[in-house]
Amino acid sequence: MVFLSQQEVSKVQLKTPWGIEEAIRYLGRLFLPTNEYTALPEALTACRRDLDAGLLSIVVAEQNVVRLWCLVPRELTSKEI
């Protein structure tokens, strides 16, 4: 499980089948937001569920919200704009 601050990631725009989405880049990989939480424990619990299901998710603390971000498949990573 990875817990990061907003300063540790860089935001980018990504073209997906659903349109232009805000994504973040961390350690060379792209992540899309999946959920927002007002409290860190809720976000960490959701992240643990994702990890248990075999998904790679990260938790990023922003100013007034904590977001859960899911790894973007490599097939979509070439569509950064």
Side-chain angles (χ1 to χ4, degrees):
M1 184 176 318
V2 179
F3 171 62
L4 304 166
S5 69
Q6 191 173 6
Q7 293 77 23
E8 295 175 274
V9 298
S10 58
K11 292 194 175 183
V12 297
Q13 296 291 312
L14 184 66
K15 184 176 180 183
T16 71
W18 309 279
I20 305 297
E21 308 240 6
E22 179 181 65
I24 59 172
R25 180 177 297 284
Y26 178 69
L27 296 178
R29 299 299 304 266
L30 292 172
F31 294 81
L32 287 171
T34 58
N35 284 313
E36 290 184 3
Y37 301 91
T38 56
L40 180 59
E42 295 170 322
L44 293 175
T45 298
C47 187
R48 169 72 358 203
R49 273 195 305 268
D50 282 357
L51 291 172
D52 290 344
L55 301 171
L56 177 57
S57 295
I58 60 175
V59 176
V60 179
E62 299 179 24
Q63 287 182 351
N64 297 319
V65 70
V66 181
R67 290 183 202 230
L68 185 65
W69 298 77
C70 189
L71 182 65
V72 175
R74 289 220 185 255
E75 297 80 31
L76 294 177
T77 59
S78 64
K79 301 186 183 197
E80 189 177 331
I81 57 172

